[in-house]
Amino acid sequence: MALSDRSRESLLPSFLYSSSARSFAATGAAAARLPVSAPAPAAAGAGGRVPFSIQAPSEKIEMYSPAFYAACTAGGIASCGLTHMAVTPLDLVKCNMQIDPAKYKSISSGFGVLLKEQGARGFFRGWVPTLLGYSAQGACKFGFYEFFKKYYSDIAGPEYAQKYKTLIYLAGSASAEVIADVALCPFEAVKVRVQTQPGFARGLSDGLPKFVRSEGALGLYKGIVPLWGRQIPYTMMKFASFETIVELIYKHAVPVPKSECSKTTQLGISFAGGYIAGVFCAIVSHPADNLVSFLNNAKGATVGDAVKKLGLWGLFTRGLPLRIVMIGTLTGAQWGIYDAFKVMVGLPTTGGPAPAAVAAPAAEAESKASA
């Protein structure tokens, strides 16, 4: 049975998404009332040309419906799996700098050592567990983030959800990452071992069975606590800072409302906000990243062993410049791909200026009047 206009609007938490989110639903509702023969108007740019746009399906996805969460999950797979695989050479050098700093003294010398010892093909060693592991993580990270953000917002109610929106971003992203890391951890364990121990295995197909024979199935989750320590602060910073940065960009740097920006502009803002957020992510999660690399490389190693060998200063700084470049680019690309996918399936991009405090009651009053 079709949803009423009133129940459709109730699916949209206006205190979290900008007016552009409502415009998507409104456009869909208005289009449904047009005669079938009525052509859709197209805005022409300079010289009469129609501006570039990403075409969305004619049937819009209802916000917070099962199809919405499925779309966010698919977008997360595309954004995380592909981007992490693309920066495998950087990740390979970073891991080896963390494990063997005497041999891999800097970024440039690290690439030189790998090229000399393993050839150009060696730069992508471990790409299969990287692709599969981070695809699984991305699916859970983005899909569950959207779910928990809506869930916690409903618990708080419109007024408090708007007032404490940053806390909701933090809680939603942390909850999602706990689940996402359970999916990632086995792949990460094999990836680090393949990348930092030449001769251990060629990749996932032979590396996974060899790892399990050596340390048992539970050994795949030996690094889960340090992984949570790395990824949960990273993801909390990634989502909360992104939402805040994008809101500030639209509020102070863009001269027109988000709803009047082209999709290309919106996606550019998503990439810029993601890159800036990625720099903060790299800094807060780097000590735990060093721990994960150390524990997954050495059989029977403990956190105490890592701190003793690396030292507190090394724990916070070893490999950090390379990781800032890698994570900044990675996070910017992830948000760009994720929002491009959302636009492609007919959803609004993530983030934007918060509406005025009276917007929600006004929208509700309008809905009641039209019902």
Side-chain angles (χ1 to χ4, degrees):
M1 186 174 70
L3 294 171
S4 68
D5 288 345
R6 181 176 178 180
S7 60
R8 286 178 189 273
E9 287 194 14
S10 68
L11 294 172
L12 291 169
S14 59
F15 41 86
L16 284 179
Y17 281 93
S18 69
S19 58
S20 64
R22 292 194 300 277
S23 70
F24 269 76
T27 303
R33 292 192 291 269
L34 289 174
V36 176
S37 60
R49 292 174 298 176
V50 176
F52 168 79
S53 63
I54 298 176
Q55 295 299 319
S58 56
E59 293 184 6
K60 299 295 189 294
I61 295 176
E62 290 287 349
M63 295 289 289
Y64 307 108
S65 65
F68 167 79
Y69 293 118
C72 294
T73 299
I77 291 173
S79 68
C80 290
L82 295 177
T83 51
H84 275 277
M85 185 186 69
V87 297
T88 296
L90 289 173
D91 188 43
L92 185 62
V93 173
K94 173 191 70 70
C95 286
N96 280 284
M97 286 177 66
Q98 292 169 332
I99 297 303
D100 192 355
K103 184 177 181 180
Y104 299 88
K105 294 182 173 62
S106 66
I107 298 171
S108 56
S109 67
F111 276 107
V113 170
L114 285 173
L115 183 62
K116 181 180 178 180
E117 293 186 352
Q118 302 176 35
R121 291 182 61 182
F123 287 130
F124 279 91
R125 194 168 75 244
W127 71 269
V128 174
T130 298
L131 174 64
L132 297 181
Y134 284 94
S135 292
Q137 187 217 33
C140 298
K141 185 198 295 275
F142 283 92
F144 279 109
Y145 171 68
E146 299 287 1
F147 171 80
F148 283 118
K149 185 168 70 169
K150 175 70 163 61
Y151 178 74
Y152 294 142
S153 298
D154 287 344
I155 292 175
E159 181 182 352
Y160 287 107
Q162 170 59 33
K163 186 176 181 180
Y164 300 109
K165 59 179 183 281
T166 301
L167 291 178
I168 288 175
Y169 300 150
L170 292 170
S173 56
S175 301
E177 191 59 39
V178 169
I179 300 170
D181 287 344
V182 174
L184 170 64
C185 195
F187 297 97
E188 182 75 0
V190 176
K191 176 189 79 76
V192 171
R193 190 68 62 89
V194 168
Q195 289 181 334
T196 58
Q197 290 187 11
F200 171 76
R202 294 187 307 274
L204 182 66
S205 59
D206 57 337
L208 180 59
K210 190 172 182 179
F211 193 107
V212 172
R213 284 196 302 270
S214 172
E215 302 195 27
L218 291 178
L220 292 168
Y221 283 94
K222 180 178 67 174
I224 186 65
V225 174
L227 188 63
W228 277 331
R230 180 188 80 184
Q231 290 298 131
I232 292 176
Y234 164 86
T235 302
M236 292 170 72
M237 181 65 73
K238 174 180 180 175
F239 284 90
S241 62
F242 172 82
E243 299 257 18
T244 302
I245 290 165
V246 167
E247 180 177 337
L248 292 174
I249 290 174
Y250 280 114
K251 187 179 292 184
H252 300 292
V254 179
V256 295
K258 178 182 176 181
S259 56
E260 297 178 18
C261 293
S262 68
K263 291 296 177 285
T264 306
T265 300
Q266 292 184 31
L267 294 176
I269 291 171
S270 293
F271 175 81
Y275 195 99
I276 298 170
V279 173
F280 294 117
C281 292
I283 294 170
V284 301
S285 64
H286 193 65
D289 184 62
N290 273 321
L291 285 176
V292 170
S293 295
F294 187 91
L295 292 176
N296 284 326
N297 177 68
K299 183 178 179 180
T302 65
V303 173
D305 295 333
V307 174
K308 185 177 179 180
K309 182 173 180 180
L310 299 175
L312 284 177
W313 179 252
L315 202 62
F316 279 85
T317 61
R318 184 169 293 170
L320 180 59
L322 178 58
R323 192 158 184 265
I324 285 176
V325 174
M326 185 181 83
I327 297 298
T329 306
L330 198 70
T331 308
Q334 284 176 358
W335 278 113
I337 293 172
Y338 178 66
D339 274 349
F341 187 88
K342 288 176 72 176
V343 168
M344 185 179 70
V345 299
L347 292 169
T349 58
T350 310
V358 296
E364 188 178 349
E366 255 182 35
S367 176
K368 288 179 180 179
S370 61

